[in-house]
Amino acid sequence: MNHEAPIVEFLGLHFNLANVMMITIASLIVFLIAVLATRKLAMKPTGIQNFMEWVMDFVKNIINSAMDWKDGGRFHILGITLIMYIFVSNMLGLPFSIVIDHTLWWKSPTADPVVTLTLAVMVVVLSHYYGVKQKGVAAYGKEFLKPFSFMLPIKIIEEFANTLTLGLRLYGNIYAGEILLTLIAGSLATGVGGHLAAIVPMLAWQGFSIFVGAIQSFIFVMLTMVYLSHKVSSDH
Amino acid sequence: MLTNGFVVAASAGHLNTGDIVFQLLMFLILLALLKKYAWGPLMGIMKQREDHIAGEIGAAEQSRTEANKLLNEQRELLKQARQEAQSLIENAKKQGDLQRDEIIALARTESDRIKESAKAEIEREKEQAVAAIREQLASMSVMIASKVIEKELSVADQEKLINEYIKEAGEGR
């Protein structure tokens, strides 16, 4: 518990080296999975190509549930990459964590609020960018005055609240899961009795964490598409 | 950045700006690479399959309508052929009837003609026969008469008769 982070200052920026490493590893895994799965493409899909096509259809359905495919088609690639990246990140911290000299090295990158909020801010900024691009500045601005002009402050607060909840929901779920896993792992190490007592909760919580990780990645992409559709769609 | 700065500053003491930059950069790189090497080709093949299926459906539809058209054509042709055969048979029948009547008429006239000629022949033969009989009868009667006359006729009568005959013969000439 309360492990330190390996923070290094470079060019005036503070880097958490554990985060940097885990982000890189997660990106690499996603890249390898995606590229290896799409090496042998065929009209008649087999094996892993079926799986990747299922993922694509899954994200396509998420987008379709939020907005028209005409508006949302351009977010397809973003959605697939996001869901795979977050899912893999969530899974990374589950099997083990590595602590060297009280410094936590191996963990889920999404168990850090900076990382999740970065993704959330990226999504919200993207939604504003596409809102302006799609509707023009005037129509985009008018959206803030709907349905009543006095709701402008609430609308502005909503944007920040969206960002915060989007990022912190993911962070909270994954971080809490890892804390509990660490606690149970601590119990595992205490002796025979603690070991036996901790086996069942460990199994249960790891299974539940896989479920939570999958659900959270789904929710993140789902909300991403909802926020994007609020800004992009013109039918409400 | 105000919002997450607030949160992170509370937990870590200072903001890991480097992480933010790194995460953003990595994600964008990942996005670009995957778009180029994974999702692009995958979407391409899915689109291709979609087109292929659409094309196949179109082709099937087309061939179906074509088959239907051909079927109708064939049906029409069959009907026509049947009609033609029917008319051919009818014609042949008519022709046969006509020919039969002709033949019968011809045969009838022929038979009539043969009958006529046979009748004429018979008539002629009969006449001939009658004439022959008559001649024979005359000579026989002469013979009988001469036999009878030979017995009862006197020389004077004979003379008178002969003269009469001679006279007759002379008149007949």
Side-chain angles (χ1 to χ4, degrees):
Chain A
M1 286 297 301
N2 278 335
H3 301 297
E4 283 171 25
I7 291 172
V8 168
E9 201 178 332
F10 179 68
L11 296 174
L13 300 171
H14 289 87
F15 287 90
N16 181 343
L17 287 184
N19 274 348
V20 170
M21 183 181 83
M22 292 318 293
I23 289 167
T24 313
I25 288 172
S27 302
L28 216 62
I29 290 174
V30 171
F31 181 72
L32 285 179
I33 289 175
V35 169
L36 290 181
T38 53
R39 274 316 81 192
K40 281 189 227 148
L41 291 174
M43 290 281 272
K44 262 186 175 172
T46 49
I48 195 138
Q49 191 191 340
N50 268 325
F51 172 71
M52 291 321 287
E53 290 191 4
W54 173 77
V55 172
M56 290 195 104
D57 277 341
F58 183 69
V59 174
K60 191 173 180 176
N61 284 338
I62 294 176
I63 296 174
N64 272 328
S65 70
M67 60 188 129
D68 256 14
W69 186 246
K70 170 172 67 69
D71 289 327
R74 77 191 74 170
F75 305 128
H76 199 185
I77 287 177
L78 172 74
I80 306 165
T81 313
L82 210 52
I83 201 169
M84 284 199 51
Y85 177 72
I86 293 173
F87 180 75
V88 168
S89 298
N90 292 350
M91 292 304 116
L92 278 183
L94 289 189
F96 48 81
S97 73
I98 298 176
V99 179
I100 300 170
D101 292 335
H102 291 285
T103 308
L104 180 60
W105 281 99
W106 187 281
K107 63 193 191 72
S108 285
T110 41
D112 191 306
V114 175
V115 173
T116 60
L117 281 168
T118 304
L119 291 174
V121 169
M122 180 188 78
V123 164
V124 173
V125 168
L126 219 58
S127 78
H128 287 276
Y129 168 72
Y130 277 108
V132 174
K133 191 182 170 192
Q134 193 78 358
K135 295 185 186 172
V137 179
Y140 164 79
K142 239 178 236 166
E143 279 290 315
F144 283 93
L145 303 176
K146 281 176 184 172
F148 309 111
S149 53
F150 67 83
M151 288 173 84
L152 175 66
I154 298 174
K155 284 271 187 178
I156 291 172
I157 291 168
E158 188 195 358
E159 295 304 320
F160 290 101
N162 280 349
T163 317
L164 270 177
T165 53
L166 187 62
L168 291 183
R169 178 184 302 109
L170 179 59
Y171 156 68
N173 274 285
I174 305 309
Y175 187 62
E178 292 206 350
I179 294 266
L180 202 56
L181 281 179
T182 316
L183 284 174
I184 298 171
S187 171
L188 276 174
T190 51
V192 180
H195 197 91
L196 288 178
I199 282 179
V200 172
M202 188 67 172
L203 284 174
W205 190 252
Q206 279 200 322
F208 186 63
S209 286
I210 291 173
F211 175 70
V212 167
I215 286 289
Q216 285 307 316
S217 61
F218 166 68
I219 288 175
F220 194 95
V221 174
M222 184 82 184
L223 286 173
T224 297
M225 293 310 159
V226 169
Y227 295 154
L228 282 168
S229 82
H230 276 193
K231 294 281 178 271
V232 170
S233 293
S234 48
D235 52 18
H236 60 85
Chain B
M1 295 298 125
L2 258 180
T3 49
N4 47 10
F6 166 70
V7 175
V8 177
S11 66
H14 51 77
L15 183 61
N16 287 338
T17 41
D19 288 0
I20 295 171
V21 173
F22 187 75
Q23 168 64 68
L24 208 56
L25 216 67
M26 274 312 267
F27 188 77
L28 292 179
I29 290 170
L30 184 67
L31 199 65
L33 282 179
L34 286 186
K35 185 177 181 177
K36 184 145 191 280
Y37 292 109
W39 309 143
L42 190 59
M43 277 172 172
I45 202 97
M46 284 171 92
K47 183 90 184 65
Q48 203 179 321
R49 184 185 312 137
E50 221 166 85
D51 292 348
H52 179 73
I53 289 169
E56 288 297 293
I57 289 173
E61 194 80 11
Q62 202 180 338
S63 62
R64 204 175 63 100
T65 53
E66 203 156 304
N68 259 355
K69 210 180 74 186
L70 278 176
L71 184 68
N72 278 342
E73 234 165 66
Q74 289 305 314
R75 219 172 256 164
E76 198 64 34
L77 273 177
L78 196 64
K79 212 163 116 190
Q80 221 169 312
R82 204 169 277 159
Q83 265 173 359
E84 224 157 88
Q86 195 72 30
S87 76
L88 269 180
I89 289 170
E90 215 115 292
N91 271 357
K93 226 182 249 174
K94 224 177 269 171
Q95 187 101 1
D97 278 356
L98 219 70
Q99 221 150 16
R100 193 189 64 193
D101 288 353
E102 218 166 82
I103 287 167
I104 286 172
L106 207 71
R108 197 163 279 155
T109 54
E110 184 81 357
S111 72
D112 280 356
R113 197 176 59 76
I114 290 169
K115 214 158 72 183
E116 286 304 308
S117 71
K119 249 184 208 163
E121 184 92 352
I122 288 166
E123 200 70 22
R124 213 170 55 234
E125 293 282 321
K126 201 173 83 185
E127 259 164 40
Q128 259 177 8
V130 167
I133 287 171
R134 194 174 282 152
E135 216 164 279
Q136 227 157 355
L137 201 64
S139 66
M140 269 168 84
S141 59
V142 167
M143 213 160 70
I144 292 167
S146 64
K147 288 271 193 271
V148 172
I149 289 166
E150 242 175 59
K151 230 187 258 175
E152 292 176 12
L153 222 51
S154 62
V155 179
D157 283 341
Q158 240 175 337
E159 196 112 345
K160 191 182 157 208
L161 255 177
I162 291 166
N163 282 339
E164 214 169 287
Y165 279 137
I166 291 170
K167 197 174 152 212
E168 243 172 69
E171 272 169 13
R173 212 175 269 184

